[in-house]
Amino acid sequence: TTNRPALFAQLNARRLSGSSGVVEFRPGSEASGTAILTVRVNDGAAINAIREQSFTVVIHPMVRSAAVSQAEGDTGTSAMRIDLTIASPAENDIPIAYATQPGSAVPGNDFLASSGTAVIPAGGTTAAIDIAVVGDSLYEETETFSILLTKPSNAGLAADEVLATITDNDPPPTLTLSDTIVTESDGNATFKAWFLLELGSALPIPSRWTVATRSGTAEEGRDFTALAPTLLTFAPGEAFQFDWSEDWA
């Protein structure tokens, strides 16, 4: 029996040996099931020694998956679901082994490493894999990891890797620049005015800011030396900097 036609064209130019057996192949189409294939065999032993021989052909379904994406959340863990599907109900159980593989997302910090076997049951079309995504309140970049699929039984894999993306749901940090008061000198001497720059919270990734001066009641060139737009970088885990200064007359 079979639930798809047009199977024989895929067997053209294949030489079959022996008087009986099972021909097993995994097509790129959605065909699945079994079919009886009858071929004409000339064993070369005698002139016109042609006979018909039947083979059972097993056509495996293809297991398909798609990339997934999910926001991380603020606390605890949340389940990221990966669906494995076939086009028509399975004739037998279809087990597929899986295992997570790190990318820019780190096991333990961003997701919980996992491995096991997902099973599409006989008569069913879907199996699900749930991976725990770890929430936090840190502003982060988008991160990725993979789920590797191997060792399918009674099926083939359309792809052996699923890309998983974790998006951040936390607001970007704020940068606070403290006020400072300086007393100018009577002469032409210059001195430094120091400012404290503070992030709202330390980040696990570099944070870059552009800083510059702007005139107020103090005039650029007469009262202070202007600071051109300058890139300031906070390293991961750093929340304070004191090294921005200006020359005051």
Side-chain angles (χ1 to χ4, degrees):
T1 60
T2 182
N3 59 2
R4 294 289 188 275
L7 303 175
F8 305 118
Q10 301 183 54
L11 295 177
N12 285 346
R14 178 190 291 267
R15 294 190 62 183
L16 304 177
S17 61
S19 59
S20 64
V22 175
V23 179
E24 184 175 69
F25 67 102
R26 302 185 179 197
S29 67
E30 296 298 337
S32 63
T34 60
I36 303 300
L37 174 64
T38 300
V39 296
R40 293 172 62 84
V41 179
N42 186 343
D43 60 13
I47 298 176
N48 298 325
I50 298 175
R51 64 183 186 278
E52 290 187 347
Q53 179 64 52
S54 295
F55 295 85
T56 300
V57 180
V58 180
I59 303 94
H60 287 305
M62 297 298 291
V63 177
R64 301 189 180 277
S65 56
V68 291
S69 178
Q70 182 169 307
E72 65 178 3
D74 294 325
T75 59
T77 61
S78 57
M80 174 184 281
R81 173 155 293 190
I82 297 93
D83 288 323
L84 308 177
T85 63
I86 57 176
S88 56
E91 292 188 359
N92 302 287
D93 286 353
I94 301 175
I96 307 107
Y98 68 89
T100 53
Q101 177 169 284
S104 57
V106 178
N109 291 340
D110 303 306
F111 70 96
L112 300 184
S114 179
S115 62
T117 301
V119 179
I120 300 176
T125 58
T126 304
I129 300 171
D130 287 335
I131 306 297
V133 173
V134 179
D136 59 43
S137 57
L138 297 174
Y139 179 75
E140 300 173 285
E141 297 174 325
T142 295
E143 299 166 315
T144 61
F145 65 99
S146 298
I147 299 93
L148 303 182
L149 306 176
T150 58
K151 302 177 182 177
S153 294
N154 306 315
L157 293 173
D160 59 5
E161 183 173 354
V162 180
L163 179 66
T165 300
I166 302 174
T167 58
D168 189 60
N169 66 330
D170 300 303
T174 57
L175 180 66
T176 301
L177 176 64
S178 66
D179 294 335
T180 189
I181 299 176
V182 296
T183 302
E184 67 179 5
S185 65
D186 293 330
N188 293 323
T190 61
F191 54 92
K192 301 289 186 181
W194 293 87
F195 297 85
L196 171 65
L197 295 93
E198 180 179 2
L199 286 177
S201 61
L203 301 177
I205 57 175
S207 175
R208 298 176 178 85
W209 306 79
T210 299
V211 295
T213 54
R214 184 176 63 184
S215 296
T217 55
E219 294 183 10
E220 174 189 328
R222 190 184 73 174
D223 299 309
F224 68 95
T225 301
L227 176 68
T230 301
L231 183 64
L232 182 69
T233 300
F234 284 78
E238 185 178 22
F240 302 93
Q241 287 199 23
F242 297 89
D243 58 351
W244 181 40
S245 61
E246 279 299 319
D247 290 328
W248 287 72

